[in-house]
Each structure stands twice: as structure tokens, then as C-alpha cells.
Amino acid sequence: MNRPGPALRVGLFGAAVTVLGYALFAGWLGLHLVRHQDARDRATSLAIGVVVADGIGDAEDIRVRWTDDEGRTHVQRFGVYDTGRHTEGTRFPVRYAPGGTEGFPADPDETAAEDDLLVPILLAGLVALPLAGVWGWRGLRFLVTARFPGRPMTVRVRRRTAGRGPKTWLELTAPDGTRRWQRVMWHPATTDVPDATPVRVHGRSPRRPAVVALPDGTRLVPLGRPRHRRPAGGFLDEAVRTDLRDAFLLPPGTAAGPALPWRGAAWAAAAGTTLGTATGITLTDASPTGTIALTLGGAALAAAAWALSDPQPR
């Protein structure tokens, strides 16, 4: 039998962009975390600074003035957890490397700077793991379901027009007249399927997702459980071809099958990049580290969401 075709490519793209996006995001922040920890380990000198401003920004950071052993005065912003204790005018011990200009809180419990780098890595992992897992689960379910014995049914391909973009549904009819509706990932083979085409429907039970095998051997990837009632929303009466044959007269023998709108992935990534950059500038006060991290995360998340949206020709 034929492979899922576009469904496989979309699945591989979705999983790859999720894993790669997380790797870049975590790698960028992890690199800065390691550098920060190394610099803090080298900070062996102690200075007693004074808090000159508190309650800065949404995180209520503080600004401290401190003087190193060479008599140079520094004014530096710190993120702290105990904001009630570090108020304007109070003393704030600072550790720094001899001859260096960057200070660190001497209190070992004040790890806000490190946590600002570590926590996003962990939170992003909690998002990336389920996103990649969706594709693994779909693939495993498809392979397992396709192994069950097939039942003869007839199919009518329907295109749902309501909601966020078109979706492909199969109206399946059993020999006894029982009908059910199964949503599937788009495949070009569905564009020219006549009504009442005989198919083989593989599945564990009528209540579980079914893999429909078309006469040419194409197996369609199911999305969600089948429905025994017509889904709400508008449907086109028949499958609509959306390839070049609808607009041009092609030479005989020229194949011009429909293709997925992969430009949508580029647009989604561009939108995610823009949104991530704007969010980074807003939330991190234009910090290069945080802004670049959110830019990478926004691009990957938007592209992964595009893949999960079941893209198909319009």
C-alpha cells in the first residue's frame, strides 16, 4: 500500500521544527546560563553596595551602587527575590571578580538571574515534548490501526468549509446503511474520489479512529474519533480540486496534482518571529539574550502550530 504522502511530510516537518526550535531556544539560554555561572564562580572579591533604587519594572528589580577594590564605582541592576528586604538605602553585598566590572549578589539564595535563564528552558520543554509527542502518537496509532482487518464500506469525500480553513471529512457508509464521519489529514488522492467509492476501513471498533484505504492503496491518516452524526458547519457537496488544472490548459500527459500550501509554514514562522521579538522587547526590556530566545521560540511554535492545524489546499 502507499504511504500517507503529504501527511507523513507534514508530520516530519512538525516534529522536526519542534525539536529543532527547542534545541536552539534551550541552547541559546543554556550557553548564557553556563557563562553566567562561570563568571559568578570567579567572583571572589566582596564589596558592600547600597541600593539606590528599588521596585524597578514588573519584577521589582533593584539598582545598586558599589565600589570595587580599585576604587571604581559601578551602578548595576539586580534581580532579587527578597524585594521587601532590599529597599532603597539598604546595604547590598556584591561579589565580583578582581579587575572585573560585573557584580553578583553575595547572598547565595538570590539566584533570580540564573533562574531567569533556567526556568524558560524547563517550561519550553514542557511545551515541546507534547507537541512532538502528538506526531509520534499519530504515527503509532496509524500503523497499529492499519493492521486491523478491513471492512468493506463506501466513501464520499466532503470538505468542511466552516471554522479555521477547510478540513477533509470522509462520509463512510456500511453495507447495512450505517453511516459515520471520519476526519482525515489531506491527501491529493481524495480530490478525485467519486461518490460511493468502495473502500476498506481498518480499525479496532466503530468508535475508534479508522484508517481508510482507497482503491489505489492510499491509506488516509485519521484525526480524532469518528462521529455518527454529521459534524456541524458548512460542507461542500463534493470534493473540490484546487490544482493547476482548474485554471490552465496543460499539455496532455502533464501531471499537476494539488500540493500543500507550504508557504503557509513560512508565513507562520515569520509571524511567530515578529510576535516573539515584540514580546521579548516588552518583557525583557530589550535584553538581547531574552529577546533572541523568545524570537527563536516564537518562530518554532508558530511553525509547529501550522503543521498541527491540518494544512491543505484551499
Tab-separated table of all heavy atoms in Angstrom, residues 292-314:
chain	number	residue	atom	x	y	z
A	292	ILE	N	16.223	37.395	21.798
A	292	ILE	CA	16.575	36.393	20.794
A	292	ILE	C	15.958	35.049	21.155
A	292	ILE	O	15.478	34.310	20.285
A	292	ILE	CB	18.099	36.290	20.663
A	292	ILE	CG1	18.657	37.573	20.045
A	292	ILE	CG2	18.494	35.085	19.816
A	292	ILE	CD1	20.159	37.617	19.944
A	293	ALA	N	15.942	34.708	22.443
A	293	ALA	CA	15.352	33.436	22.866
A	293	ALA	C	13.865	33.389	22.521
A	293	ALA	O	13.369	32.390	21.981
A	293	ALA	CB	15.552	33.241	24.366
A	294	LEU	N	13.126	34.452	22.807
A	294	LEU	CA	11.695	34.473	22.504
A	294	LEU	C	11.443	34.534	21.001
A	294	LEU	O	10.426	34.028	20.519
A	294	LEU	CB	11.042	35.660	23.207
A	294	LEU	CG	10.925	35.515	24.732
A	294	LEU	CD1	10.365	36.785	25.352
A	294	LEU	CD2	10.055	34.326	25.100
A	295	THR	N	12.350	35.142	20.264
A	295	THR	CA	12.223	35.146	18.800
A	295	THR	C	12.340	33.731	18.246
A	295	THR	O	11.540	33.301	17.409
A	295	THR	CB	13.302	36.044	18.181
A	295	THR	OG1	13.115	37.392	18.639
A	295	THR	CG2	13.204	36.020	16.661
A	296	LEU	N	13.336	32.985	18.724
A	296	LEU	CA	13.505	31.601	18.288
A	296	LEU	C	12.302	30.755	18.694
A	296	LEU	O	11.786	29.953	17.898
A	296	LEU	CB	14.785	31.022	18.888
A	296	LEU	CG	16.109	31.626	18.411
A	296	LEU	CD1	17.267	31.089	19.240
A	296	LEU	CD2	16.334	31.317	16.937
A	297	GLY	N	11.851	30.936	19.932
A	297	GLY	CA	10.714	30.159	20.405
A	297	GLY	C	9.434	30.488	19.663
A	297	GLY	O	8.650	29.587	19.334
A	298	GLY	N	9.217	31.772	19.369
A	298	GLY	CA	8.010	32.167	18.652
A	298	GLY	C	7.962	31.607	17.241
A	298	GLY	O	6.919	31.131	16.784
A	299	ALA	N	9.089	31.629	16.541
A	299	ALA	CA	9.129	31.098	15.177
A	299	ALA	C	8.850	29.603	15.163
A	299	ALA	O	8.064	29.103	14.349
A	299	ALA	CB	10.491	31.395	14.544
A	300	ALA	N	9.483	28.861	16.076
A	300	ALA	CA	9.289	27.413	16.114
A	300	ALA	C	7.864	27.056	16.520
A	300	ALA	O	7.246	26.152	15.936
A	300	ALA	CB	10.285	26.783	17.083
A	301	LEU	N	7.328	27.750	17.510
A	301	LEU	CA	5.984	27.432	17.983
A	301	LEU	C	4.942	27.707	16.907
A	301	LEU	O	3.999	26.917	16.710
A	301	LEU	CB	5.676	28.249	19.240
A	301	LEU	CG	4.333	27.969	19.913
A	301	LEU	CD1	4.254	26.510	20.352
A	301	LEU	CD2	4.138	28.885	21.110
A	302	ALA	N	5.090	28.810	16.183
A	302	ALA	CA	4.126	29.144	15.131
A	302	ALA	C	4.180	28.134	13.989
A	302	ALA	O	3.144	27.717	13.457
A	302	ALA	CB	4.387	30.554	14.611
A	303	ALA	N	5.385	27.722	13.593
A	303	ALA	CA	5.507	26.732	12.525
A	303	ALA	C	4.948	25.384	12.953
A	303	ALA	O	4.295	24.681	12.168
A	303	ALA	CB	6.970	26.589	12.111
A	304	ALA	N	5.180	25.007	14.219
A	304	ALA	CA	4.638	23.747	14.722
A	304	ALA	C	3.116	23.796	14.781
A	304	ALA	O	2.441	22.805	14.468
A	304	ALA	CB	5.216	23.453	16.106
A	305	ALA	N	2.569	24.945	15.171
A	305	ALA	CA	1.114	25.090	15.209
A	305	ALA	C	0.516	25.011	13.810
A	305	ALA	O	-0.575	24.459	13.619
A	305	ALA	CB	0.746	26.414	15.875
A	306	TRP	N	1.219	25.548	12.821
A	306	TRP	CA	0.742	25.447	11.431
A	306	TRP	C	0.637	23.984	11.018
A	306	TRP	O	-0.345	23.570	10.397
A	306	TRP	CB	1.694	26.183	10.502
A	306	TRP	CG	1.369	26.014	9.047
A	306	TRP	CD1	0.502	26.750	8.294
A	306	TRP	CD2	1.906	25.012	8.159
A	306	TRP	NE1	0.455	26.278	7.002
A	306	TRP	CE2	1.301	25.207	6.892
A	306	TRP	CE3	2.825	23.982	8.309
A	306	TRP	CZ2	1.606	24.412	5.795
A	306	TRP	CZ3	3.123	23.183	7.210
A	306	TRP	CH2	2.517	23.409	5.980
A	307	ALA	N	1.645	23.194	11.338
A	307	ALA	CA	1.612	21.777	10.974
A	307	ALA	C	0.462	21.053	11.661
A	307	ALA	O	-0.197	20.192	11.071
A	307	ALA	CB	2.953	21.126	11.318
A	308	LEU	N	0.206	21.385	12.915
A	308	LEU	CA	-0.864	20.732	13.657
A	308	LEU	C	-2.242	21.169	13.219
A	308	LEU	O	-3.235	20.519	13.541
A	308	LEU	CB	-0.707	21.006	15.154
A	308	LEU	CG	0.392	20.224	15.874
A	308	LEU	CD1	0.542	20.717	17.304
A	308	LEU	CD2	0.078	18.736	15.869
A	309	SER	N	-2.329	22.277	12.471
A	309	SER	CA	-3.639	22.791	12.042
A	309	SER	C	-4.241	22.037	10.869
A	309	SER	O	-5.260	22.440	10.339
A	309	SER	CB	-3.513	24.275	11.680
A	309	SER	OG	-2.740	24.442	10.500
A	310	ASP	N	-3.603	20.947	10.444
A	310	ASP	CA	-4.066	20.144	9.307
A	310	ASP	C	-4.121	20.998	8.029
A	310	ASP	O	-5.182	21.218	7.462
A	310	ASP	CB	-5.440	19.553	9.596
A	310	ASP	CG	-5.915	18.635	8.479
A	310	ASP	OD1	-5.068	18.106	7.749
A	310	ASP	OD2	-7.144	18.462	8.342
A	311	PRO	N	-2.974	21.521	7.569
A	311	PRO	CA	-2.958	22.356	6.365
A	311	PRO	C	-3.338	21.574	5.131
A	311	PRO	O	-3.018	20.388	5.016
A	311	PRO	CB	-1.506	22.845	6.291
A	311	PRO	CG	-0.732	21.779	6.988
A	311	PRO	CD	-1.616	21.282	8.089
A	312	GLN	N	-4.023	22.244	4.212
A	312	GLN	CA	-4.408	21.625	2.960
A	312	GLN	C	-4.763	22.696	1.951
A	312	GLN	O	-4.981	23.857	2.320
A	312	GLN	CB	-5.598	20.693	3.152
A	312	GLN	CG	-6.782	21.312	3.859
A	312	GLN	CD	-7.816	20.257	4.207
A	312	GLN	OE1	-8.480	19.723	3.338
A	312	GLN	NE2	-7.943	19.945	5.493
A	313	PRO	N	-4.770	22.349	0.658
A	313	PRO	CA	-5.099	23.343	-0.351
A	313	PRO	C	-6.475	23.930	-0.118
A	313	PRO	O	-7.384	23.253	0.361
A	313	PRO	CB	-5.072	22.532	-1.654
A	313	PRO	CG	-4.192	21.379	-1.359
A	313	PRO	CD	-4.432	21.036	0.079
A	314	ARG	N	-6.601	25.208	-0.458
A	314	ARG	CA	-7.894	25.898	-0.290
A	314	ARG	C	-8.614	25.972	-1.607
A	314	ARG	O	-8.025	25.927	-2.655
A	314	ARG	CB	-7.659	27.302	0.287
A	314	ARG	CG	-7.065	27.264	1.689
A	314	ARG	CD	-6.766	28.678	2.187
A	314	ARG	NE	-6.242	28.627	3.540
A	314	ARG	CZ	-6.989	28.700	4.629
A	314	ARG	NH1	-8.303	28.827	4.530
A	314	ARG	NH2	-6.445	28.663	5.823
